[in-house]
Amino acid sequence: MTAPAAELLQLQRKAERERITGYEPEFRLEVKDLDELSEWSRSGVSDGDVSRALRSARRTPEDLAALISPTAQSRLEELAASAHAATVRRFGRVMQMFAPVYLSNECVSECTYCGFQVFNRDIVRKTIPPKQAAIETRYLGSLGFRHVLLVSGEHPKHVSADYVCDCIRECARHTSSVSVEVQAWDEQTYRRFVEAGCDGLVIYQEVYDPRRYGDFHLKGNKRFWGWRLGAPERALSAGMRRIGLGSLVGLNSDWRWEALALASHASFLMRRFWRSEVTVSLPRLEPATGFERPLKAMSDRELAQALAALRLTLPDAGIVLSTREPAWLRDGLVRLGVTHMSAGSRTEPGGYCEPGGAEQQFEVADHRPAAQVAAMLRDAGYDPVWKESSPALRRSATTSDLRI
Ligand code: SF4
């Protein structure tokens, strides 16, 4: 590179960094309120508070705190029955199926929990060309999937905006719906993704608590909490139809704080972008290459409780359940409000058609092929839907009132 070109690149990087660090999302997380609410949830909720929350027609953040409290654990069956009834009423007995297509495990970020992080020298790095992403999409189409989620690490060269656009364009020719789970971009880039054929963005905050976020995100653009927090609003402003939010359970030891923050974020987006479809997820940390088995910060029973509580508090939001959870648990959780499931997932680039060519991001716990998961759903009385077909969801008054 010539000296002026190198200088220009440096200036561009500096401007980009200033834009990211100076950015403030419209969504405000009220940390003090969340501290008080999660503390009350852990130790102040009475059985009467749980009864009130279960009966409520317009559930508030306090109701959510009551429903996820240790006090409510003894009433899980009641909670589950209400969540099931609310789901059937709002979404029917359908389960939206999707599958991830991993594009690249190249990454310049350092997230302490991820096998793709930059300092992990033990893994084989791979980026598949857009044509191969299309082949993976076609293969998934042969299994029934009409909705793919393109996933990649964060790398300015290997996973540029141009590359992501090319992948979207190629894959969109072979399927009905393409979403992306890639680095946080600006609104202009999201607009390019939409024009290329992308209609959904999945971007988990991982850790909502800004005081803990930096403990796990040490290097790369992902370490800028506010820039990531504002990505959903930038994407929705750019014309994306669907947004997937989530908190990675096991990072912040207070999962109740995270669940309350997640609900607050979802609620804000559903009010602010009322035509959009918002999904929420509470994936639990799984081991990855170079990362030991994490502590189970949330028991299976607590996961069931949290999903049921989110369903009751956010009646219009989709709830996503990934293959991180084992088959027996996923089968049980289906009835608690889950509306979207991945199945038969491979988490390495090119993993469907050329398995074993690169490392996985994390260990999948449900190894059943998609057809077997679909058969389980049918046996349970659900209709697996392979195409992301729902138009913009209409909001109920209940959702629009949740505010923290
Ligand atoms: S979580 Fe994403 S950004 Fe972080 S190291 Fe893994 S691939 Fe990179």
Side-chain angles (χ1 to χ4, degrees), residues 107 109-111 113-114 116-118 152-154 206 222 361:
C107 193
S109 289
E110 185 187 3
C111 306
Y113 49 86
C114 176
F116 290 175
Q117 59 121 324
V118 65
S152 83
E154 303 191 357
E206 321 288 18
K222 193 165 173 180
Q361 187 180 31

Side-chain angles (χ1 to χ4, degrees), residues 130-140 171 174 353:
K131 293 266 185 234
Q132 195 180 339
I135 291 170
E136 297 266 297
T137 300
R138 269 172 40 203
Y139 169 76
L140 287 168
C171 295
H174 303 285
C353 299

Side-chain angles (χ1 to χ4, degrees), residues 59-377:
R59 292 189 180 91
T60 62
E62 288 73 23
D63 290 328
L64 176 59
L67 294 175
I68 60 175
S69 68
T71 311
Q73 269 165 25
S74 60
R75 299 178 66 177
L76 183 55
E77 281 64 34
E78 248 178 287
L79 203 58
S82 296
H84 175 68
T87 312
V88 172
R89 214 165 34 239
R90 176 67 184 85
F91 296 94
R93 283 180 165 271
V94 298
M95 187 67 66
Q96 307 266 358
M97 307 294 289
F98 71 97
V101 171
Y102 273 70
L103 302 175
S104 173
N105 60 6
E106 295 280 358
C107 193
V108 294
S109 289
E110 185 187 3
C111 306
T112 57
Y113 49 86
C114 176
F116 290 175
Q117 59 121 324
V118 65
F119 294 120
N120 191 350
R121 314 263 184 237
D122 297 337
I123 69 167
V124 179
R125 302 280 176 176
K126 184 173 174 181
T127 303
I128 61 172
K131 293 266 185 234
Q132 195 180 339
I135 291 170
E136 297 266 297
T137 300
R138 269 172 40 203
Y139 169 76
L140 287 168
S142 74
L143 303 179
F145 290 102
R146 297 288 180 273
H147 175 201
V148 296
L149 172 66
L150 307 184
V151 186
S152 83
E154 303 191 357
H155 197 288
K157 192 167 129 227
H158 295 288
V159 195
S160 66
D162 287 346
Y163 166 78
V164 176
C165 280
D166 288 345
C167 288
I168 294 168
R169 224 172 272 118
E170 286 291 340
C171 295
R173 291 170 51 216
H174 303 285
T175 195
S176 305
S177 180
V178 177
S179 302
V180 292
E181 186 172 358
V182 292
Q183 73 170 77
W185 298 90
D186 58 11
E187 188 177 323
Q188 199 186 343
T189 307
Y190 285 134
R191 196 160 286 122
R192 288 182 60 201
F193 292 173
V194 171
E195 282 161 11
C198 178
D199 54 15
L201 172 72
V202 173
I203 187 148
Y204 292 177
Q205 186 63 22
E206 321 288 18
V207 182
Y208 273 98
D209 191 335
R211 297 160 299 189
R212 303 297 321 279
Y213 186 85
D215 298 345
F216 307 101
H217 303 100
L218 308 180
K219 190 176 184 308
N221 284 350
K222 193 165 173 180
R223 75 182 190 276
F224 301 112
W225 178 86
W227 180 247
R228 190 164 184 86
L229 191 67
E233 47 194 86
R234 295 195 299 277
L236 290 170
S237 298
M240 292 269 188
R241 245 177 9 93
R242 291 179 285 105
I243 286 292
L245 307 176
S247 168
L248 191 46
V249 176
L251 296 178
N252 184 349
S253 54
D254 186 354
W255 65 262
R256 290 183 176 85
W257 200 105
E258 292 290 315
L260 289 162
L262 172 66
S264 171
H265 195 192
S267 173
F268 164 82
L269 293 171
M270 292 163 93
R271 280 197 312 273
R272 173 76 175 73
F273 302 93
W274 60 275
R275 285 177 180 277
S276 63
E277 180 185 343
V278 176
T279 60
V280 294
S281 184
L282 285 174
R284 294 188 293 183
L285 259 180
E286 279 303 316
T289 310
F291 175 65
E292 307 234 318
R293 181 165 284 280
L295 289 173
K296 276 266 185 267
M298 177 192 245
S299 68
D300 295 340
R301 213 172 151 78
E302 285 171 334
L303 176 62
Q305 182 187 4
L307 294 184
L310 283 172
R311 161 55 58 239
L312 291 175
T313 318
L314 298 170
D316 293 330
I319 294 182
V320 179
L321 188 61
S322 83
T323 48
R324 285 170 185 264
E325 300 299 342
W328 67 268
L329 184 57
R330 292 208 328 149
D331 294 0
L333 293 176
V334 158
R335 293 172 184 80
L336 292 190
V338 174
T339 53
H340 294 63
M341 278 181 110
S342 52
S345 303
R346 302 287 313 195
T347 68
E348 79 267 32
Y352 296 105
C353 299
E354 291 176 14
E359 237 69 40
Q360 300 187 93
Q361 187 180 31
F362 58 84
E363 287 175 22
V364 162
D366 183 351
H367 295 278
R368 290 173 297 179
Q372 203 178 326
V373 174
M376 173 278 290
L377 288 168

